[in-house]
Amino acid sequence: MARFAHTVTVAALDRGWFEEAAGALVDLLDASREGPGGSVVLTDGRPVEGLRLLKGRHLRPGARYGEVPAAPEGAGEVPVEHADAGEVPVEHADAGAGDSPGAPQAVVLRTWRPSHSVEVESLVEEDGMSLKVGLRLSEPRRPRAVELSLSGQKPGGGSLYRFSGRGKADLAAWWAAADRLPSAPPAARAPVSGRAVHRLAKARLTLTPRPAENGSWRITVVLSVRGRWLLRPVGAVVLFFARGPVERGLREAAESAADEWNTALAELTPLHGEALRAEIADALVNPDGSTAL
């Protein structure tokens, strides 16, 4: 098994603000309703930008949502009942999405219980691959955990074109690890972890935070890779020669993600209460028109 690690320093996210913002977002969506043409409308009557109910009842299990497709010039709006003509199965709703860059992608709501959990699932055809992505958020109004599942295959491509993965971010454990004293040892268990499985290899990725002296976070990213079955010796040889490029790739990816995180937090102007709720509502209606939160 090959192990690669890199540590980056990022600005710390305020837990209180994050949980307040998450709660405000969930409350806004929970109070929304279906509007004309399948639009999703906030309580003030403004539609959420780019989001449309394609099938089912709003915020009920089985509801299918997607982006509003751009209509050709001179073309009228397609009535929402046409989008559901024939009760098209969800997995076929986005057929051909991978063939046209502007094609909308659909998401199916599996669970909407804001005080307990929210779960969504997406089936996507892209570049000849069939992808299934699942996301589950525990206690959305004060998030405690995020779970992600992913599986993909190429129809008719055999087992070499099939893979799966799962990941989990234990937010309660993350805050506990980030609140330790800078001199304390890092958490024994990584709060964020993910696994990917392919016929030829397995990989595991973990993220572990610890506080820095200046109040920022130091996050250690660890990637472990190993071959499977009889290919383990071959995989070990390949990883021996590929160690340099893999280490460089991990380092560059981690540094790039840290730079993007720091830039995003630096652009935020933390708001609270009604000001925060109004700003989130504005961002839902016009994502490009507001930067302060």
Side-chain angles (χ1 to χ4, degrees):
M1 180 176 69
R3 184 179 183 275
F4 310 90
H6 185 68
T7 300
V8 294
T9 301
V10 301
L13 177 64
D14 182 75
R15 178 179 184 177
W17 178 87
F18 169 75
E19 292 180 345
E20 183 182 359
L25 174 60
V26 171
D27 287 343
L28 283 167
L29 294 176
D30 192 46
S32 66
R33 58 181 174 81
E34 180 184 353
S39 59
V40 175
V41 180
L42 300 181
T43 54
D44 59 10
R46 294 182 297 169
V48 176
E49 174 70 20
L51 187 62
R52 181 182 182 187
L53 179 64
L54 303 177
K55 182 179 179 181
R57 299 179 62 186
H58 181 48
L59 295 183
R60 297 295 180 89
R64 187 178 69 206
Y65 300 87
E67 293 185 358
V68 178
E73 290 187 14
E77 181 180 357
V78 178
V80 69
E81 59 266 24
H82 289 180
D84 293 330
E87 295 295 311
V88 180
V90 173
E91 56 267 32
H92 300 306
D94 291 321
D99 301 327
S100 58
Q105 312 234 335
V107 174
V108 181
L109 181 66
R110 295 302 183 194
T111 304
W112 180 264
R113 291 188 291 168
S115 298
H116 183 266
S117 63
V118 171
E119 188 171 356
V120 296
E121 184 179 277
S122 178
L123 295 170
V124 181
E125 297 287 339
E126 186 170 353
D127 297 330
M129 293 290 292
S130 176
L131 302 175
K132 180 180 179 181
V133 183
L135 182 68
R136 186 178 189 275
L137 181 61
S138 299
E139 299 185 28
R141 286 195 171 98
R142 193 176 180 182
R144 290 189 58 83
V146 181
E147 297 174 68
L148 176 71
S149 63
L150 171 68
S151 61
Q153 63 178 354
K154 185 174 183 179
S159 59
L160 289 178
Y161 293 90
R162 187 180 301 121
F163 63 90
S164 64
R166 301 188 69 86
K168 180 177 181 179
D170 185 336
L171 299 182
W174 180 279
W175 299 122
D179 286 342
R180 289 168 172 248
L181 293 174
S183 58
R189 180 177 65 85
V192 178
S193 63
R195 295 178 181 272
V197 179
H198 184 267
R199 180 182 178 183
L200 302 181
K202 290 182 178 180
R204 184 172 188 264
L205 182 73
T206 64
L207 279 70
T208 304
R210 61 184 303 179
E213 294 290 347
N214 61 357
S216 57
W217 291 341
R218 288 181 58 79
I219 300 178
T220 299
V221 184
V222 178
L223 173 66
S224 303
V225 184
R226 71 175 183 180
R228 298 187 68 194
W229 312 111
L230 297 177
L231 294 176
R232 284 188 182 181
V234 177
V237 174
V238 172
L239 287 171
F240 176 80
F241 288 102
R243 188 173 189 87
V246 173
E247 286 181 331
R248 183 167 57 254
L250 177 65
R251 181 175 64 252
E252 292 175 353
E255 293 290 348
S256 176
D259 288 343
E260 292 181 9
W261 172 274
N262 289 333
T263 299
L265 284 193
E267 293 175 350
L268 289 178
T269 302
L271 302 175
H272 296 278
E274 286 302 315
L276 175 61
R277 180 184 176 89
E279 191 69 26
I280 293 175
D282 289 342
L284 290 173
V285 173
N286 183 14
D288 300 324
S290 184
T291 57
L293 284 177

